[in-house]
């Protein structure tokens, strides 16, 4: 913000803000107010008296000049029956890394975290993870079967499902491989590609506990198998304790039907747990007495430890945070006052605090958490920083309500080695160079 003000004021009145950045907060605000008044006077005077060639109507759209779009009628209602972003936002899209997987049918796309505001990810920017491509499911023909160790097996249509009481909750979903390419060293200089496998939405559907109560579970039913209708028949075992807690069978996302890539017409939402447990295109729930040990919970989504053994069923996504501005895609534009901003989350509950360091972790300051702060949801944080133009190492660390502290990379490697792909929640370091560019580094 201050960088933009600086450029505007230099254009219209020749006043630079560097002096204000050395002043206390009250004086800085007074300096900015006076400077903007002067700038406004120059703009008015130039426009009326013709003494400022930089403010000619043909060259700029600064007030009080009347911009071209104010002089004509625009498109009418329902020009776009389903609203679309402005063409000026065409670069805000999901992206993939072509060399990361052999083909797109079993691959990932990354959310543009650097461009997002607030905690809700727009449906069209929510990250994707497919194991066999995206099926086109006809909701009129789709059914959900609940069977196994139950008293009353049932098969539900979408109409049947929506007759049950609904709930809405805001939760993040994160792929456990988020950041997984970085275990052995810095690989990609991009916030989007490093951390973009996390998104957050308001989910609406039916509590899984309500459906299980409807079928009546037998006493020996301790586990649940969730199966998707995609070509991979994605399946995961879920302990009954979690199934009866906060899991929902969701049919809506951010107020509308699920998007096709997010599991339309129904998916599981398993708050705080690995994204692969949030089974999409849900078609079958089976109650059993033990885990099924399917492919996606044995050869995949297990953590290879330093001694060669595999750590299985690491469902919970540990607390994590990352600075989203500045970042490699959002460099600094000269010294001055900036807001260091970022997101934090925890699969164990609420974010309690976030600390920020500008010197690689030697000193920390507590950031401001922005409301709302909710359990198993993204939380925004910010901290004002007066950058003097010297090199800096920006870091953030989150503490959740259980007291868990986001680890350094060395602490995480000491505990888990470097053979794993999953659950890399180490502190991220951004190196700021004197020219304002930002690089991904490990310290």
């Amino acid at each position: 913000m201050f960088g933009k003000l600086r450029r505007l004021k230099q254009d219209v009145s020749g006043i630079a803000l560097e002096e204000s950045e050395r002043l206390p907060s009250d004086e800085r605000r007074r300096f900015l107010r006076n400077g903007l008044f002067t700038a406004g006077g120059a703009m008015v005077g130039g426009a009326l008296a013709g003494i400022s060639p930089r403010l000619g109507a043909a060259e700029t759209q600064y007030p009080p000049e009347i911009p071209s779009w104010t002089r004509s009628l625009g498109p009418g209602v329902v020009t776009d029956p389903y609203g679309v972003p402005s063409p000026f936002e065409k670069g805000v899209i999901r992206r993939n890394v072509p060399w990361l997987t052999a083909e797109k049918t079993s691959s990932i796309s990354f959310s543009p975290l650097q461009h997002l505001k607030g905690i809700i990810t727009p449906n069209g920017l929510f990250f994707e993870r497919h194991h066999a491509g995206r099926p086109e499911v006809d909701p009129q023909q789709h059914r959900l079967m609940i069977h196994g160790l139950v008293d009353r097996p049932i098969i539900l249509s979408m109409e049947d499902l929506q007759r049950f009481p609904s709930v809405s909750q805001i939760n993040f979903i994160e792929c456990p491989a988020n950041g997984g390419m970085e275990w052995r060293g810095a690989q990609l200089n991009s916030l989007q590609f490093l951390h973009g496998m996390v998104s957050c939405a308001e989910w609406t559907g039916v509590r899984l506990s309500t459906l299980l109560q409807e079928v009546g579970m037998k006493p020996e039913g301790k586990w649940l198998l969730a199966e998707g209708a995609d070509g991979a028949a994605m399946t995961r075992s879920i302990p009954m304790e979690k199934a009866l807690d906060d899991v929902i069978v969701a049919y809506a996302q951010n107020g509308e039907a699920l998007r096709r890539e997010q599991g339309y017409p129904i998916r599981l939402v398993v708050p705080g747990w690995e994204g692969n447990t949030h089974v999409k295109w849900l078609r079958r729930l089976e109650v059993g007495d033990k885990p099924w040990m399917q492919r996606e919970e044995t050869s995949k989504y297990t953590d290879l430890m330093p001694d060669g053994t595999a750590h299985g069923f690491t469902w919970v996504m540990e607390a994590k945070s990352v600075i989203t501005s500045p970042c490699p895609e959002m460099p600094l534009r000269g010294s001055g006052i900036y807001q260091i901003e970022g997101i934090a989350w925890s699969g164990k509950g609420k974010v309690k605090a976030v600390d920020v360091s500008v010197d690689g972790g030697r000193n920390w300051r507590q950031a401001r958490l922005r409301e709302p702060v909710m359990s198993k949801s993204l939380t925004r944080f910010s901290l004002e920083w007066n950058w003097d133009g010297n090199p800096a190492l920006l870091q953030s660390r989150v503490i959740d309500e259980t007291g868990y502290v986001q680890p350094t990379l060395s602490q995480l490697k000491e505990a888990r080695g470097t053979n794993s792909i999953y659950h890399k929640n180490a502190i991220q370091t951004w190196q700021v160079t004197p020219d304002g560019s930002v690089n991904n580094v490990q310290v």
Side-chain angles (χ1 to χ4, degrees), residues 31-49:
F31 183 93
L32 289 172
R33 285 198 298 270
N34 293 339
L36 287 173
F37 176 80
T38 304
M43 293 169 71
V44 174
L48 296 180

Side-chain angles (χ1 to χ4, degrees), residues 129-235:
R129 173 66 171 110
H130 304 327
H131 293 80
R134 183 196 70 204
E136 295 289 353
V137 180
D138 182 348
Q140 296 300 317
Q141 298 185 43
H142 188 69
R143 297 292 184 269
L144 172 63
M145 179 170 67
I146 306 177
H147 68 124
L149 296 177
V150 299
D151 297 325
R152 298 173 296 277
I154 57 174
I155 296 178
L156 299 171
S157 67
M158 287 299 300
E159 182 179 352
D160 295 332
L161 189 63
Q162 294 188 35
R163 292 171 65 184
F164 287 91
S166 66
V167 296
S168 294
Q169 56 195 45
I170 296 176
N171 297 120
F172 74 84
I173 297 180
E174 182 181 18
C175 177
N178 199 19
M181 293 176 285
E182 300 276 301
W183 275 98
R184 300 193 181 190
Q187 301 291 322
L188 297 170
N189 202 40
S190 163
L191 168 66
Q192 184 168 4
F193 293 142
L194 288 173
H195 301 285
M197 284 190 277
V198 63
S199 298
C200 188
E202 180 193 55
W203 307 99
T204 299
V206 181
R207 285 246 180 260
L208 181 52
S209 59
T210 300
L211 298 177
L212 293 175
Q213 182 180 12
E214 180 71 16
V215 298
M217 294 186 301
K218 296 185 181 297
E220 59 268 32
K222 304 298 182 183
W223 286 81
L224 189 75
L225 180 74
E227 179 182 277
D230 58 332
M234 177 69 181
T235 47

Side-chain angles (χ1 to χ4, degrees), residues 21 77 93 112 114 122 127 151 209 236 246 283 293 320 403:
E21 292 154 1
V77 297
I93 57 174
Q114 68 275 15
F127 85 95
D151 297 325
S209 59
R236 283 304 310 258
D246 54 1
R283 66 176 296 273
M293 307 307 290
K320 186 176 180 180

Side-chain angles (χ1 to χ4, degrees), residues 229-244:
D230 58 332
M234 177 69 181
T235 47
R236 283 304 310 258
S237 302
I238 299 173
M240 194 58 67
E241 182 180 7
K242 179 65 173 178
L244 294 174

Side-chain angles (χ1 to χ4, degrees), residues 183-326:
W183 275 98
R184 300 193 181 190
Q187 301 291 322
L188 297 170
N189 202 40
S190 163
L191 168 66
Q192 184 168 4
F193 293 142
L194 288 173
H195 301 285
M197 284 190 277
V198 63
S199 298
C200 188
E202 180 193 55
W203 307 99
T204 299
V206 181
R207 285 246 180 260
L208 181 52
S209 59
T210 300
L211 298 177
L212 293 175
Q213 182 180 12
E214 180 71 16
V215 298
M217 294 186 301
K218 296 185 181 297
E220 59 268 32
K222 304 298 182 183
W223 286 81
L224 189 75
L225 180 74
E227 179 182 277
D230 58 332
M234 177 69 181
T235 47
R236 283 304 310 258
S237 302
I238 299 173
M240 194 58 67
E241 182 180 7
K242 179 65 173 178
L244 294 174
D245 182 17
D246 54 1
V247 178
I248 67 172
V249 175
Y251 46 74
Q253 175 183 359
N254 294 334
E256 64 177 1
L258 293 173
R259 292 291 175 91
R260 296 176 298 175
E261 65 270 25
Q262 297 305 325
Y264 180 85
I266 53 174
R267 73 174 300 164
L268 277 189
V269 174
V270 188
W273 281 28
E274 294 179 335
N276 59 80
T277 64
H278 301 237
V279 175
K280 297 185 288 186
W281 312 290
L282 184 67
R283 66 176 296 273
R284 187 167 71 91
L285 294 168
E286 181 178 356
V287 176
D289 59 356
K290 58 182 178 297
W292 278 258
M293 307 307 290
Q294 296 281 359
R295 173 182 180 272
E296 306 300 340
E297 51 201 19
T298 51
S299 69
K300 310 298 180 187
Y301 299 111
T302 54
D303 305 282
L304 189 60
M305 304 302 285
D307 62 1
T309 60
H311 193 182
F313 294 127
T314 52
W315 298 293
V316 177
M317 298 305 298
E318 297 87 353
K320 186 176 180 180
S321 69
V322 65
I323 292 171
T324 58
S325 180

Side-chain angles (χ1 to χ4, degrees), residues 5 7 81 172 199 230 239 311 324 328 352 361 365 385 435 441:
L5 287 174
R7 292 194 298 275
F172 74 84
S199 298
D230 58 332
H311 193 182
T324 58
K352 180 180 179 181
R365 292 172 57 194
W385 178 43
D435 67 359
V441 298

Side-chain angles (χ1 to χ4, degrees), residues 334-336 386-391 433-435:
S335 61
N386 191 350
W387 182 46
D388 59 9
N390 289 319
T433 64
D435 67 359

